């Protein structure tokens, strides 16, 4: 089984917490593409089949695969174009460690840290329009929702993991939040997870290291990886495994995103797709992993 612990109903959860004005501010902000997606799906078997075709190399910033005798490469450029997030700009976060974590102090008094599950419970226990509605400022409501989105969706954290104090401080600083390199943070988390998920754990016994893993968890935002797979492997268009609804504007991705054979192609920063495609066997090796990815 392949898992992703990000919460797929993040839009509904956040929208119920915010007023219409607050929701509009969040939806029109730096993460607008994610809040305009109709749905986000996790396709574990699809990811696993492609990972089995990895060509291992020393490139720490991308992954290369050989599928149907063609080499394709998943890169930082690809992630940027699909998500629309900044992946290269640098942000000055000097002195961030010394800053007070105001949001933690105000909304979680007495706590040195807060788990993602605590933040989820806070948001879901203060639905807008009820007697339990959030009583803080509009800005703070949007900031708490943003932190939940970043940790749950971009980072794919489990609810029992701590919310990053650094992320809380960055989001609380409007200027820093808008200029921060969110794309790199999410991409590097995803790439590290994809590169390591099939490898044996260091703490495993030697006799167990050669066994195939029967389950693992992907971190980061693997939806972007799935979109890339369905863009660069023609079978998904030829066999209509997936239907894309295209949005303007379109942008052109460079050759590194899909391999030299693919050349240039259109990729859309907002992709909406219907979940009517069936599991695809992308390599003969997948015959031995038919149980992985179900559920």
């Amino acid at each position: 089984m392949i898992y992703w612990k990000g919460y797929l109903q993040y839009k509904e959860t956040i929208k119920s917490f915010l007023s219409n004005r607050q929701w509009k501010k969040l939806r029109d902000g730096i993460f607008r593409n994610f809040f305009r997606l109709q749905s986000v799906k996790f396709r574990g078997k699809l990811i696993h089949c492609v990972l089995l075709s990895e060509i291992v190399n020393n490139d720490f910033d991308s992954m290369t695969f050989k599928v149907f005798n063609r080499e394709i490469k998943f890169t930082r450029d690809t992630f940027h174009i699909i998500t629309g997030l900044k992946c290269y700009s640098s942000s000055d976060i000097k002195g961030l460690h010394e800053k007070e974590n105001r949001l933690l102090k105000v909304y979680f008094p007495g706590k040195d840290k807060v788990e993602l599950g605590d933040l989820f419970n806070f948001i879901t226990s203060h639905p807008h329009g009820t007697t339990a509605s959030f009583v803080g400022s509009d800005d703070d409501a949007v900031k708490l929702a943003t932190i939940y989105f970043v940790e749950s969706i971009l980072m794919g954290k489990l609810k029992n993991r701590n919310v990053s104090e650094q992320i809380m401080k960055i989001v609380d600083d409007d200027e820093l939040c808008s200029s921060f390199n969110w794309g790199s943070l999410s991409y590097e988390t995803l790439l590290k997870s994809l590169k390591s998920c099939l490898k044996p754990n260091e703490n495993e016994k030697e006799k167990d290291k050669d066994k195939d893993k029967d389950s693992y968890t992907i971190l980061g935002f693997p939806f972007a990886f799935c979109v890339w797979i369905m863009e660069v492997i023609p079978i998904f268009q030829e066999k209509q495994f997936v239907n894309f609804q295209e949005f303007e504007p379109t942008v052109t991705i460079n050759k590194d995103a899909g391999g030299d054979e693919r050349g240039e192609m259109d990729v859309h920063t907002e992709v909406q797709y219907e979940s009517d495609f069936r599991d695809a066997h992308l390599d003969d090796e997948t015959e031995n992993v038919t149980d992985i990815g179900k559920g």
Side-chain angles (χ1 to χ4, degrees):
M1 303 288 287
I2 305 174
Y3 301 98
W4 178 63
K5 297 303 181 180
Y7 188 54
L8 296 176
Q9 306 302 318
Y10 67 96
K11 286 195 303 179
E12 292 80 0
T13 298
I14 291 174
K15 192 172 183 179
S16 67
F17 172 65
L18 301 177
S19 67
N20 290 337
R21 182 173 63 252
Q22 294 163 355
W23 170 250
K24 185 178 186 303
K25 181 178 180 179
L26 180 64
R27 193 172 183 270
D28 293 340
I30 56 176
F31 300 116
R32 55 188 173 275
N33 291 336
F34 295 85
F35 291 100
R36 293 174 181 174
L37 284 171
Q38 181 175 344
S39 62
V40 173
K41 306 292 183 181
F42 177 68
R43 299 296 176 182
K45 178 174 282 189
L46 179 64
I47 292 175
H48 183 79
C49 290
V50 173
L51 289 179
L52 289 174
S53 303
E54 181 188 3
I55 300 175
V56 180
N57 54 41
N58 295 323
D59 188 348
F60 69 91
D61 200 43
S62 67
M63 292 185 76
T64 303
F65 308 91
K66 190 169 185 178
V67 181
F68 298 135
N69 293 318
R70 297 173 57 194
E71 290 190 13
I72 54 177
K73 183 181 288 188
F74 182 63
T75 68
R76 190 180 296 262
D77 278 345
T78 307
F79 191 85
H80 160 67
I81 291 173
I82 291 173
T83 64
L85 295 175
K86 294 180 180 179
C87 288
Y88 292 98
S89 61
S90 59
S91 303
D92 184 7
I93 59 174
K94 293 179 181 178
L96 194 65
H97 180 71
E98 289 76 21
K99 290 183 66 174
E100 179 185 61
N101 191 342
R102 183 187 67 85
L103 294 173
L104 178 67
K105 182 178 180 180
V106 172
Y107 298 107
F108 300 93
K111 289 193 173 186
D112 295 327
K113 55 187 177 181
V114 59
E115 293 183 353
L116 183 58
D118 296 328
L119 181 56
F120 173 80
N121 292 335
F122 182 90
I123 288 175
T124 55
S125 63
H126 292 82
H128 180 73
T130 70
T131 56
S133 293
F134 179 71
V135 295
S137 67
D138 285 355
D139 285 345
D140 281 359
V142 173
K143 288 175 180 179
L144 290 171
T146 299
I147 293 168
Y148 175 72
F149 164 77
V150 169
E151 292 285 63
S152 177
I153 303 303
L154 293 188
M155 304 304 290
K157 281 188 177 180
L158 284 72
K159 286 185 178 180
N160 63 354
R161 300 299 299 272
N162 290 333
V163 174
S164 166
E165 184 176 6
Q166 183 183 62
I167 286 177
M168 294 186 77
K169 292 179 180 179
I170 291 172
V171 172
D172 197 25
D173 185 322
D174 292 337
E175 184 177 348
L176 180 57
C177 182
S178 63
S179 63
F180 187 71
N181 212 350
W182 295 111
S184 283
L185 180 65
S186 182
Y187 174 73
E188 290 165 10
T189 300
L190 172 62
L191 194 70
K192 181 180 179 181
S193 182
L194 292 174
K195 282 178 173 287
S196 62
C197 60
L198 293 181
K199 296 179 180 178
N201 297 325
E202 294 181 358
N203 296 328
E204 283 183 339
K205 296 180 180 179
E206 195 64 33
K207 65 178 182 179
D208 295 328
K209 288 187 177 182
D210 292 332
K211 295 181 180 179
D212 292 334
K213 284 191 175 182
D214 56 4
S215 67
Y216 53 87
T217 298
I218 301 291
L219 302 177
F221 185 63
F223 177 73
F225 187 61
C226 290
V227 171
W228 170 76
I229 291 171
M230 292 182 284
E231 283 281 357
V232 299
I233 300 178
I235 190 173
F236 288 105
Q237 280 80 40
E238 295 169 1
K239 302 297 184 181
Q240 295 185 337
F241 287 109
V242 60
N243 295 325
F244 285 93
Q245 181 176 343
E246 301 176 358
F247 292 84
E248 295 295 338
T250 61
V251 291
T252 302
I253 193 170
N254 63 30
K255 291 183 179 181
D256 287 341
D260 292 340
E261 298 88 346
R262 179 71 176 179
E264 293 186 344
M265 61 183 178
D266 287 334
V267 178
H268 313 284
T269 54
E270 294 182 52
V271 180
Q272 174 184 0
Y273 70 92
E274 300 173 7
S275 57
D276 61 351
F277 63 92
R278 65 176 183 265
D279 289 323
H281 289 273
L282 304 181
D283 194 291
D284 290 339
E285 295 170 285
T286 60
E287 292 178 358
N288 298 321
V289 292
T290 53
D291 290 333
I292 296 181
K294 293 181 179 178

